[in-house]
Every structure is written in structure tokens, then in C-alpha cells.
């Protein structure tokens, strides 16, 4: 920070949950920048970002993820993407948080109940952002995010959810609360002049890539059919993205001059069937065949090549050809892929429960399920049902390649092991899946950043408190603080008379710490939480509900 390019001030308060979001203009294209925030004489962690290119580039690498359930395991996927240090951006396809309560010891959701109020969603997003692996990934890369159903409630639609009931109040209020908290906490622009819920957008990476993020959940999605006899199935009026968004994507794809067009998608586009032609899962695009046909007709009518759909939500790893009817030999040849209009890569969950963790649909084994999938869906060229991890999407002028990186053990926070389970690509103007064999080469080393936990506190060794949450508190109060040498620290809760009602003292090693104080049994009211060392004292007011 010896050469300051831009600086300014921003005022935040409780109306936006004390988050800070600044849209910096006038930066150079295709350039790394470092940034930090300062308040009350204390500097934040240093962040690094990179602006997109506007001219020709030979390579773009994206990390693609979805379904990060804090309760279900540790976030090594974020950790390992950060350790690569060569991504241009991270595409998060939704289910950034999960709305339910519970969790294993040490990974319980906060609040420990299903969330539905604004403060609930804020607290949950704060908790996820305090995960060290997710924090490190945000510190290194720009994130491109879109919401899915668990960011609000499972099976969320435009105006209801099959899983929302009266105990959670009005659905419109719940949807508003979730979206407001997401707009506060996630890196998406605050331009909501046309619609508070409109989050679909395009981002360009020079002449090589256009990224389109669309919303198949909240903006204009109707209820999906329950079976093939449901009048909604096949109805020309059933919407998954709706006419406004459909016109946008079709126009943008037809006008795009980028070589590759990547669509960030929440629900499987390609067909997924068993013995009959009826869909297995009507929640996917299978349940909205009219809109899918409209989308694919646009590709045909405008001779659009190099469309790559990356899909989250389903906790599986798939690579498949996308066509209008994969079982019609006159439209699609499963042997050589001729007739495929575009390709789809479905990314594994980071921690969301997989086939072997409850999502087995009554089938005896993953290998048997994979055999069934291959037998009834020959356009699906790769499927794996048990791995957690991420997709590394590597794009260059000759091909777009997806590497499916699976983690060794998400239940062991010390285990960062991973391996490639599959490599699949589509060649330039090929528009079909081919199996690859060679992982992409690392990009040139990106400019380094101080290691996680290093806080820029000039000439100070005192702890820096990053957050105290939730506030108001019900059962447990969390303090997130960081310091750069071992210290003896005392943490206390005082009532308004100064009487100590809770305290703990211990030596904390250097680094980032999340410490919790048990507030159960405290009388509702106002308190002061303090963090004290031999030479300093931090204090903050909290309210016990």
C-alpha cells in the first residue's frame, strides 16, 4: 500500500448489517489489485482481486462450486482452490448457505434452527464468512454468485415453496429477508433499480469468454409438476426462468462475440430419465420442456457454438451432451455425439449430502445407480455420485475443459487431499462432450498475498476483534479475533452494573480464532463483552434475548 490507486470512505450501519460494499470504477483491465478497509485505526485483512480483460486472452480458469452446507463437513474445496493461486474467478452456483438448523459437534448452524427472519439470514451468512477456508478463498479471488433454493428455503419458487409453512410467517417476507441479507453479504452489485430480485447478468472476459448467470429459482419460476399426469408438465405457460429472462439470454447469446459462452445454472438442463420418457426429476429443466425447447431453438436458429452450461444443486458430478431429444436417433447420435447443441457440466457439492449420505433414492449402491444412469441416458458421458469437491473449468482457444476434483475426506479438517476423478472437454465448435486425459497446466504465478491470519496492524501486536455475533444473542456468543503472537487473553461478559457474569482465560496462539461464550441462563437485557490482554482492552455492547 505504498502506491494508493484509489481511496474513499463508506458509512455503514445496522440497516445493511454493518457490511461494506464499494463499486470501484476507473481501474485498468486485466490487472491485479490489493485492497483493505480501515475503521477506528485498525486495518482489515488484505484482499486481492483482478479486473477482467477487454482484449484477447489465451486462457481463463474458473473454479466452479455449489452446495456448501456448513453442518455436513469442512470446506476443503475452498481451501484447495485458494491454494492453487491461479484462478481468475470463482463461480458459485448457489446454496452458498443452508437454511436448516443442527450440525455435528463444532459445525452447528447458528442460529441452531431453521432460519426465516432477516437477522437469521444475516447471522447465518456471517457464520459462513468466518469459516477460515471460505474466508481465504474470498481473500484471493473475485466471486461471481447466484442464489439457489437453500439460500432461502428448499424448493423455493417465485411466490411459494413446498417446504414453507405457516410457522415461518409470510413467504414473501421470508424471500425478501433472504435476498436482502444476500445482497448485503455477497459480492453482487446493489443496482436494484429494475427489480430487487433480478440477479441475472453477464460478465465478459475479453474476447475469450462471456459468463451468464441466470436465476432458475426466484425471479419468475412456477411450481413444478409432481408427475407426468400433472397439467403443469408440458404446459406452454410453465416457467422456470420466464419470458423476460428468456429474451435476455437468447438475445445475449445471439449477439455475443466471445468464443465461449458459459451459463451459470442451478438445475440440470439435460434430460434425465429411466425406462420411460417421463422425467425422473420434474424440478429440473425436464419439468419445463417448453422453455428448454425455446432456449435450444435459439441456439439452432442462430447457429450458436461453444455454449457451456455449468450446473449446481444436485450433489453429483456429470458431463453430458445437451440436445432436444437424446433418444431420437435422427436428432442425436449417442455414439459420436452428433446432434448435440451444447454441453453441460454438473459440479459436485462442497459438502451437501451425496448419494452415500442419504440421497440414494432407494437404490442399493452408487455403482448400480451409475449403471442405470448410463443405460437410460446415453447422452450422459460421465457420472459420479459420491464425491465432494469442485470443478476447475479451463478455457482456451481450442477447448473448454472441466476437471472434476474430489476431496479425500470432508469430515477431517486436517485432510486437504484431493484427486481428479474425471476430465472432460468440448472442442471449439464441437458442442459435444469428449473425454480428456491431461489436467490443465498451472497459470503463471499470481502476485502473492499475506498468508491467512496476517493482519495489517502497523506496529501493533494487540488482538484485533473482527466480529461479535449474533447480536442480539440467544444461547451462544461468538467472538472472531486475530493476532500475530501468542497471548494470554481474558474474555468476560459484564452486566450493566459492571458485575462479571461469564469469563474465561487462556493462552491463544497466533492466528485467527472463533471463540464462543455460553449465554444460556442469562437474564434478558443489555451486557458488555470484553477481550483483555495485559496492555489492551476491547469492549462491545450485546443484547441477550
Amino acid at each position: 500500500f505504498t502506491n494508493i490507486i484509489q481511496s474513499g470512505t463508506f458509512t455503514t450501519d445496522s440497516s445493511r448489517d454493518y457490511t461494506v460494499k464499494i463499486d470501484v470504477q476507473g481501474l485498468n483491465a486485466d490487472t491485479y489489485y490489493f485492497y483493505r478497509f480501515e475503521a477506528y485505526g485498525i486495518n482489515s485483512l488484505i484482499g486481492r482481486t483482478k479486473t477482467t480483460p477487454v482484449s484477447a486472452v489465451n486462457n481463463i480458469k474458473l473454479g466452479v462450486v455449489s452446495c456448501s452446507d456448513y453442518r455436513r463437513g469442512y470446506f476443503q474445496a475452498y481451501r484447495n482452490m485458494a491454494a492453487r493461486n491461479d484462478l481468475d474467478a470463482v463461480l458459485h452456483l448457489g446454496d452458498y448457505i443452508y437454511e436448516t438448523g443442527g450440525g455435528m459437534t463444532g459445525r452447528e448452524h447458528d442460529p441452531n434452527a431453521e432460519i426465516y427472519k432477516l437477522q437469521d439470514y444475516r447471522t447465518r451468512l456471517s457464520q459462513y464468512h468466518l469459516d477460515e477456508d471460505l474466508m481465504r478463498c474470498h481473500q484471493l479471488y473475485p466471486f461471481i454468485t447466484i442464489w439457489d433454493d437453500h439460500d432461502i428455503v428448499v424448493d423455493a419458487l417465485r411466490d411459494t415453496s413446498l417446504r414453507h409453512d405457516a410457522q415461518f410467517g409470510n413467504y414473501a417476507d421470508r424471500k425478501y429477508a433472504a435476498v436482502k441479507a444476500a445482497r448485503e453479504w455477497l459480492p453482487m452489485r446493489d443496482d436494484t433499480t429494475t427489480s430487487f430480485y433480478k440477479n441475472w447478468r453477464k460478465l465478459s472476459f475479453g474476447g475469450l469468454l462471456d459468463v451468464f448467470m441466470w436465476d432458475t429459482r426466484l425471479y419468475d419460476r412456477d411450481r413444478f409438476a409432481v408427475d407426468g399426469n400433472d397439467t403443469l408438465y408440458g404446459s406452454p405457460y410453465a416457467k422456470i426462468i420466464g419470458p423476460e429472462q428468456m429474451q435476455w439470454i437468447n438475445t445475449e447469446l445471439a449477439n455475443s462475440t466471445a468464443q465461449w459462452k458459459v451459463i451459470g445454472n442451478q438445475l440440470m438442463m439435460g434430460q434425465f430419465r429411466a425406462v420411460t420418457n417421463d422425467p425422473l426429476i420434474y424440478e429440473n429443466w425436464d419439468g419445463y420442456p417448453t422453455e428448454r425447447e425455446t432456449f435450444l431453438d435459439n441456439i439452432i436458429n442462430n447457429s450458436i457454438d461453444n455454449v457451456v452450461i455449468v450446473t449446481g444443486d444436485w450433489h453429483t458430478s456429470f458431463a453430458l451432451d445437451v440436445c432436444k431429444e437424446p433418444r431420437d436417433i435422427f436428432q442425436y447420435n449417442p455414439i459420436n455425439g452428433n446432434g448435440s447443441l451444447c454441453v453441460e457440466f454438473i459440479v459436485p457439492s462442497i459438502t451437501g449430502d451425496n448419494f452415500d449420505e442419504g440421497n440414494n433414492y432407494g437404490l442399493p449402491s452408487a455403482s448400480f445407480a451409475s449403471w442405470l444412469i448410463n443405460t437410460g441416458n446415453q447422452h450422459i458421458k460421465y457420472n459420479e455420485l459420491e464425491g465432494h469437491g469442485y470443478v476447475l473449468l479451463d478455457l482456451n482457444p481450442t477447448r473448454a475443459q472441466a476437471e472434476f476434483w474430489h476431496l479425500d475426506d470432508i469430515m477431517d479438517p486436517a485432510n486437504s487431499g484431493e484427486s481428479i476423478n474425471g476430465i472432460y472437454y468440448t472442442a471449439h465448435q464441437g458442442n459435444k462432450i469428449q473425454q480428456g486425459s491431461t489436467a490443465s497446466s498451472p497459470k503463471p504465478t499470481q502476485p502473492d498475498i499475506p498468508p491467512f491470519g496476517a493482519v495489517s496492524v502497523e506496529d501493533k501486536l494487540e488482538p484485533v476483534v473482527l466480529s461479535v455475533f449474533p447480536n442480539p444473542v440467544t444461547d451462544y456468543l461468538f467472538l472472531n479475533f486475530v493476532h500475530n503472537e501468542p497471548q494470554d487473553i481474558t474474555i468476560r461478559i459484564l452486566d450493566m452494573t459492571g458485575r462479571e457474569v461469564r469469563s474465561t482465560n487462556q493462552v491463544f496462539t497466533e492466528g485467527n480464532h472463533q471463540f464462543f461464550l455460553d449465554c444460556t441462563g442469562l437474564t434478558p437485557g443489555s451486557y458488555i463483552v470484553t477481550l483483555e490482554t495485559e496492555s489492551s482492552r476491547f469492549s462491545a455492547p450485546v443484547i441477550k434475548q
Side-chain angles (χ1 to χ4, degrees):
F1 289 93
T2 58
N3 180 25
I4 305 298
I5 304 300
Q6 289 195 37
S7 63
T9 60
F10 184 92
T11 300
T12 186
D13 56 28
S14 60
S15 68
R16 57 177 301 113
D17 204 24
Y18 296 95
T19 58
V20 175
K21 187 179 296 185
I22 300 172
D23 195 349
V24 182
Q25 301 291 325
L27 301 178
N28 294 326
D30 202 18
T31 303
Y32 289 102
Y33 289 94
F34 297 90
Y35 62 93
R36 67 184 179 188
F37 300 89
E38 182 270 331
Y40 302 104
I42 302 298
N43 291 316
S44 72
L45 296 171
I46 293 172
R48 183 191 73 192
T49 192
K50 185 184 183 184
T51 52
T52 57
V54 295
S55 56
V57 290
N58 291 321
N59 185 218
I60 294 291
K61 295 181 80 169
L62 303 172
V64 191
V65 295
S66 76
C67 304
S68 44
D69 189 342
Y70 187 90
R71 307 166 303 158
R72 298 289 188 181
Y74 294 89
F75 289 164
Q76 292 99 323
Y78 293 130
R79 180 190 312 169
N80 292 355
M81 285 194 300
R84 289 179 175 275
N85 197 27
D86 73 341
L87 302 181
D88 292 284
V90 173
L91 267 60
H92 202 300
L93 302 175
D95 293 344
Y96 187 100
I97 62 171
Y98 274 65
E99 81 280 17
T100 48
M104 61 183 182
T105 302
R107 298 287 286 186
E108 298 92 347
H109 263 156
D110 182 42
N112 193 358
E114 182 163 336
I115 56 176
Y116 64 99
K117 297 181 293 185
L118 177 58
Q119 189 56 47
D120 295 341
Y121 288 106
R122 287 170 164 175
T123 300
R124 186 67 54 84
L125 282 158
S126 172
Q127 180 185 30
Y128 275 56
H129 275 78
L130 288 171
D131 180 271
E132 293 187 7
D133 296 323
L134 177 54
M135 193 187 299
R136 178 61 172 169
C137 207
H138 272 295
Q139 188 183 11
L140 288 176
Y141 304 127
F143 270 54
I144 302 169
T145 59
I146 193 75
W147 41 63
D148 198 5
D149 57 339
H150 287 287
D151 295 293
I152 300 92
V153 58
V154 64
D155 293 342
L157 306 172
R158 178 189 63 247
D159 52 12
T160 188
S161 165
L162 301 179
R163 310 292 181 90
H164 176 88
D165 56 43
Q167 67 173 308
F168 301 115
N170 182 276
Y171 177 78
D173 293 339
R174 185 178 195 174
K175 176 181 171 181
Y176 173 84
V179 171
K180 177 170 173 55
R183 287 196 172 278
E184 292 167 349
W185 279 90
L186 298 180
M188 57 186 74
R189 281 183 169 83
D190 283 339
D191 181 11
T192 58
T193 54
T194 53
S195 172
F196 180 71
Y197 299 104
K198 184 182 292 187
N199 194 22
W200 29 279
R201 60 208 191 272
K202 180 184 83 169
L203 300 95
S204 295
F205 292 75
L208 186 63
L209 170 67
D210 280 343
V211 172
F212 303 91
M213 305 294 280
W214 68 19
D215 175 7
T216 64
R217 286 292 186 186
L218 290 187
Y219 189 72
D220 201 12
R221 176 192 174 99
D222 294 323
R223 180 180 70 82
F224 49 90
V226 295
D227 57 39
N229 297 319
D230 193 319
T231 56
L232 277 177
Y233 178 58
S235 167
Y237 306 107
K239 304 186 298 294
I240 186 170
I241 62 174
E244 182 185 0
Q245 200 172 171
M246 182 66 76
Q247 181 178 6
W248 166 79
I249 189 64
N250 285 345
T251 301
E252 290 286 356
L253 286 178
N255 293 336
S256 173
T257 59
Q259 179 173 353
W260 296 103
K261 298 91 175 169
V262 171
I263 298 177
N265 174 48
Q266 296 81 58
L267 293 162
M268 184 177 180
M269 166 69 74
Q271 293 86 348
F272 186 64
R273 300 164 179 169
V275 177
T276 70
N277 279 329
D278 287 340
L280 281 174
I281 300 178
Y282 289 84
E283 180 186 6
N284 295 338
W285 279 81
D286 260 346
Y288 304 83
T290 300
E291 282 206 334
R292 179 170 59 195
E293 185 164 340
T294 299
F295 171 75
L296 295 178
D297 280 342
N298 181 65
I299 291 178
I300 296 171
N301 296 336
N302 290 283
S303 301
I304 302 171
D305 292 316
N306 299 339
V307 174
V308 177
I309 300 169
V310 287
T311 300
D313 183 73
W314 210 26
H315 307 188
T316 60
S317 299
F318 276 29
L320 60 143
D321 292 332
V322 178
C323 57
K324 294 182 74 170
E325 180 44 70
R327 290 184 174 179
D328 183 347
I329 193 65
F330 296 103
Q331 296 193 56
Y332 174 74
N333 187 330
I335 298 175
N336 56 27
N338 289 345
S340 178
L341 302 173
C342 59
V343 301
E344 182 173 13
F345 299 117
I346 300 180
V347 307
S349 68
I350 289 182
T351 54
D353 49 341
N354 289 349
F355 182 93
D356 56 333
E357 298 159 338
N359 281 340
N360 60 11
Y361 299 97
L363 298 174
S365 68
S367 60
F368 179 71
S370 290
W371 176 82
L372 286 178
I373 292 170
N374 293 334
T375 301
N377 303 272
Q378 295 186 53
H379 61 296
I380 299 177
K381 306 303 180 182
Y382 161 73
N383 76 85
E384 201 283 338
L385 308 179
E386 295 181 321
H388 296 281
Y390 60 95
V391 161
L392 179 65
L393 186 63
D394 183 82
L395 304 110
N396 64 34
T398 64
R399 57 99 181 102
Q401 177 167 289
E403 301 168 16
F404 292 83
W405 286 87
H406 289 175
L407 302 163
D408 290 351
D409 186 359
I410 63 167
M411 305 305 290
D412 180 4
N415 188 339
S416 296
E418 63 177 6
S419 59
I420 295 182
N421 189 270
I423 302 175
Y424 292 85
Y425 71 93
T426 180
H428 171 57
Q429 295 184 335
N431 305 320
K432 61 185 177 182
I433 293 291
Q434 296 179 257
Q435 186 168 3
S437 59
T438 305
S440 60
S441 300
K443 295 185 73 172
T445 303
Q446 302 192 29
D448 202 3
I449 194 171
F452 176 75
V455 176
S456 179
V457 186
E458 283 98 357
D459 302 320
K460 295 182 181 180
L461 298 177
E462 299 302 334
V464 176
V465 178
L466 301 177
S467 63
V468 179
F469 79 100
N471 192 8
V473 60
T474 52
D475 297 323
Y476 294 96
L477 183 69
F478 291 81
L479 273 75
N480 180 233
F481 61 93
V482 62
H483 56 104
N484 53 8
E485 69 171 5
Q487 290 199 56
D488 186 280
I489 295 176
T490 300
I491 300 172
R492 312 176 196 269
I493 297 179
L494 312 175
D495 66 17
M496 297 310 290
T497 69
R499 181 175 63 92
E500 179 182 293
V501 295
R502 296 283 193 277
S503 70
T504 184
N505 174 266
Q506 66 186 76
V507 175
F508 289 89
T509 59
E510 67 275 9
N512 184 284
H513 298 276
Q514 182 174 304
F515 187 82
F516 72 89
L517 286 165
D518 186 353
C519 295
T520 58
L522 291 182
T523 303
S526 297
Y527 295 86
I528 300 292
V529 59
T530 68
L531 184 149
E532 301 171 45
T533 69
E534 184 176 330
S535 58
S536 68
R537 184 176 189 269
F538 164 88
S539 64
V542 295
I543 297 174
K544 172 66 167 65
Q545 289 183 329

